[in-house]
Amino acid sequence: ADAVLCLTDHMSQAWTVPQWEAIRWALLGLKQEDIGRKLRIAHQNVSKRLRAAGWPHFESAGGFLRRLLVRAGGTLAGVQAPFAPD
């Protein structure tokens, strides 16, 4: 878990402000079309921002950490999509 957290921290340090905006809404579970409406940009541009920020890898890391926590008997109370329980 520590290695995954270190890698995601390293990834996030390189994000631009527009990438942070897209990541924030993605972490809250919004779809790319909804993020585009919130940011007043085309959903294709949301996709570009998320891809440039490494979102697929970040999302996978979050899912891994979620599963690890559940297996360890931890609670996910208060955790929002996409890392909330299935």
Side-chain angles (χ1 to χ4, degrees), residues 69-83:
L69 181 62
V70 168
R71 271 190 245 130
T75 178
L76 292 175
V79 175
Q80 297 187 16
F83 304 133

Side-chain angles (χ1 to χ4, degrees), residues 4-56:
V4 172
L5 289 169
C6 286
L7 287 170
T8 55
D9 184 53
H10 178 72
M11 287 174 59
S12 69
Q13 291 177 21
W15 292 344
T16 64
V17 170
Q19 290 169 345
W20 269 107
E21 291 171 335
I23 291 286
R24 174 184 185 255
W25 293 112
L27 286 171
L28 292 173
L30 271 67
K31 297 185 185 310
Q32 291 184 15
E33 294 80 14
D34 299 325
I35 296 170
R37 278 193 287 281
K38 284 213 174 271
L39 299 178
R40 297 184 179 152
I41 60 174
H43 71 88
Q44 294 91 336
N45 291 333
V46 173
S47 179
K48 288 177 186 177
R49 289 180 185 188
L50 292 173
R51 206 172 35 252
W55 172 249

